Coordinates of all heavy atoms in Angstrom, one line a residue:
Y77 N -44.3 -2.6 13.7 CA -44.2 -3.1 15.1 C -43.5 -2.1 16.0 O -43.6 -2.1 17.2 CB -43.6 -4.5 15.2 CG -42.1 -4.5 15.0 CD1 -41.3 -4.6 16.2 CD2 -41.5 -4.5 13.8 CE1 -39.9 -4.7 16.0 CE2 -40.1 -4.5 13.7 CZ -39.4 -4.6 14.8 OH -38.0 -4.6 14.6
I78 N -42.8 -1.1 15.3 CA -42.2 0.0 16.0 C -43.1 1.2 15.6 O -43.0 1.7 14.4 CB -40.8 0.3 15.6 CG1 -39.9 -1.0 16.0 CG2 -40.2 1.5 16.3 CD1 -38.5 -0.9 15.5
L81 N -42.2 4.0 13.2 CA -41.7 3.7 11.8 C -42.9 3.5 10.9 O -42.8 3.5 9.6 CB -40.9 2.4 11.8 CG -39.5 2.5 12.5 CD1 -38.7 1.2 12.2 CD2 -38.7 3.6 12.0
I112 N -31.9 3.7 10.5 CA -31.0 2.6 10.0 C -31.2 1.3 10.8 O -30.8 0.2 10.3 CB -29.5 3.0 10.0 CG1 -28.9 3.1 11.5 CG2 -29.3 4.3 9.2 CD1 -27.4 3.2 11.5
Q113 N -31.8 1.3 11.9 CA -32.2 0.1 12.7 C -31.0 -0.8 12.8 O -29.9 -0.4 13.2 CB -33.4 -0.5 12.1 CG -34.7 0.3 12.3 CD -35.0 0.4 13.8 OE1 -35.0 -0.6 14.5 NE2 -35.4 1.6 14.2
S114 N -31.1 -2.1 12.3 CA -30.1 -3.1 12.6 C -28.8 -2.9 11.8 O -27.8 -3.6 12.1 CB -30.6 -4.5 12.3 OG -31.3 -5.0 13.4
I115 N -28.8 -2.0 10.9 CA -27.5 -1.7 10.2 C -26.5 -1.2 11.2 O -25.3 -1.4 11.1 CB -27.7 -0.6 9.0 CG1 -28.6 -1.3 8.0 CG2 -26.4 -0.2 8.5 CD1 -29.1 -0.3 6.9
K117 N -25.9 -2.3 14.0 CA -25.3 -3.4 14.7 C -23.8 -3.6 14.1 O -23.0 -4.2 14.8 CB -26.1 -4.7 14.6 CG -27.4 -4.6 15.4 CD -28.3 -5.8 15.1 CE -29.6 -5.5 15.9 NZ -30.7 -6.4 15.5
F145 N -34.8 -12.4 13.5 CA -33.8 -11.5 14.2 C -34.1 -11.4 15.7 O -33.2 -11.2 16.5 CB -33.7 -10.1 13.5 CG -35.0 -9.4 13.5 CD1 -35.4 -8.5 14.5 CD2 -35.9 -9.5 12.4 CE1 -36.5 -7.8 14.5 CE2 -37.1 -8.8 12.4 CZ -37.4 -7.9 13.4
N146 N -35.4 -11.6 16.0 CA -35.7 -11.4 17.5 C -36.2 -12.7 18.1 O -36.9 -12.7 19.1 CB -36.8 -10.3 17.6 CG -38.0 -10.6 16.7 OD1 -38.1 -11.7 16.2 ND2 -39.0 -9.7 16.6
F162 N -25.1 -10.1 15.0 CA -26.0 -9.3 14.2 C -27.5 -9.6 14.4 O -28.4 -9.0 13.8 CB -25.7 -9.4 12.7 CG -24.3 -8.8 12.3 CD1 -23.6 -9.3 11.3 CD2 -23.8 -7.8 13.1 CE1 -22.4 -8.8 11.0 CE2 -22.5 -7.3 12.8 CZ -21.8 -7.7 11.7
N164 N -30.7 -9.7 17.2 CA -30.9 -8.8 18.3 C -30.1 -9.2 19.6 O -29.5 -8.4 20.3 CB -32.4 -8.7 18.6 CG -33.1 -7.9 17.5 OD1 -32.6 -7.7 16.5 ND2 -34.3 -7.4 17.8
E208 N -39.7 2.5 20.5 CA -39.2 1.1 20.5 C -39.1 0.6 22.0 O -39.4 -0.5 22.3 CB -37.9 1.0 19.8 CG -37.7 -0.4 19.4 CD -36.5 -0.6 18.4 OE1 -36.0 0.4 17.8 OE2 -36.0 -1.7 18.4
N215 N -37.3 -7.7 22.9 CA -35.9 -7.4 23.2 C -35.7 -7.5 24.7 O -34.6 -7.9 25.2 CB -35.6 -6.0 22.7 CG -35.4 -6.0 21.1 OD1 -34.9 -7.0 20.6 ND2 -35.9 -5.0 20.5
Y239 N -29.1 0.2 23.2 CA -29.6 -0.6 22.1 C -30.7 0.2 21.3 O -30.6 0.3 20.1 CB -30.1 -2.0 22.5 CG -30.7 -2.8 21.4 CD1 -29.9 -3.4 20.5 CD2 -32.1 -2.8 21.2 CE1 -30.4 -4.1 19.4 CE2 -32.6 -3.5 20.1 CZ -31.8 -4.2 19.2 OH -32.3 -4.8 18.2
F240 N -31.7 0.7 22.1 CA -32.8 1.4 21.4 C -32.2 2.7 20.7 O -32.7 3.0 19.6 CB -33.9 1.8 22.4 CG -34.6 0.6 22.9 CD1 -35.0 0.5 24.3 CD2 -35.0 -0.4 22.1 CE1 -35.7 -0.7 24.7 CE2 -35.7 -1.6 22.5 CZ -36.0 -1.7 23.9
C243 N -30.4 1.8 17.3 CA -31.4 1.4 16.3 C -32.1 2.7 15.7 O -32.6 2.6 14.6 CB -32.5 0.5 16.9 SG -31.9 -1.2 17.3
S244 N -32.1 3.7 16.5 CA -32.9 4.9 16.1 C -32.0 5.9 15.2 O -32.5 6.9 14.8 CB -33.4 5.7 17.3 OG -32.4 6.5 17.9
Y291 N -30.6 -11.7 8.7 CA -31.6 -12.6 9.5 C -31.6 -14.0 8.9 O -30.5 -14.5 8.6 CB -33.0 -11.9 9.5 CG -33.0 -10.4 9.6 CD1 -33.7 -9.7 8.7 CD2 -32.4 -9.8 10.7 CE1 -33.7 -8.3 8.8 CE2 -32.4 -8.4 10.8 CZ -33.1 -7.7 9.9 OH -33.1 -6.3 10.0
K306 N -25.6 -5.7 5.3 CA -26.4 -5.7 6.5 C -27.7 -4.9 6.2 O -27.7 -3.9 5.5 CB -25.7 -5.1 7.6 CG -26.5 -5.1 9.0 CD -26.5 -6.5 9.6 CE -27.6 -6.6 10.6 NZ -28.9 -7.0 10.0
S307 N -28.8 -5.5 6.7 CA -30.1 -4.8 6.4 C -30.7 -4.3 7.8 O -30.2 -4.7 8.9 CB -31.1 -5.8 5.9 OG -31.3 -6.9 6.8
G308 N -31.7 -3.5 7.7 CA -32.4 -3.0 8.9 C -33.9 -2.9 8.6 O -34.3 -2.7 7.4
V309 N -34.7 -3.0 9.7 CA -36.1 -2.9 9.4 C -36.7 -1.5 9.0 O -37.8 -1.4 8.8 CB -37.0 -3.5 10.6 CG1 -36.7 -5.0 10.8 CG2 -36.8 -2.7 11.9
G310 N -35.8 -0.5 9.0 CA -36.1 0.7 8.4 C -36.2 0.7 6.9 O -36.5 1.7 6.2
G334 N -38.3 -9.4 7.0 CA -37.8 -8.2 7.6 C -36.8 -7.4 6.7 O -36.2 -6.5 7.2
Ligands
LIG259 N1 -34.8 -2.1 16.5 C1 -35.2 -3.3 15.8 C2 -35.6 -4.4 16.8 O1 -34.9 -4.5 17.8 C3 -34.1 -3.7 14.9 C4 -34.5 -4.8 14.1 C5 -33.8 -4.8 12.8 O2 -33.6 -3.8 12.1 O3 -33.4 -6.0 12.4 O4 -36.6 -5.0 16.8

Side-chain angles (χ1 to χ4, degrees):
Y77 78 100
I78 301 171
L81 296 187
I112 69 167
Q113 293 293 319
S114 277
I115 295 170
K117 290 171 182 168
F145 59 91
N146 54 9
F162 294 154
N164 287 15
E208 204 170 338
N215 287 321
Y239 178 78
F240 291 138
C243 291
S244 81
Y291 320 124
K306 183 75 198 85
S307 61
V309 296

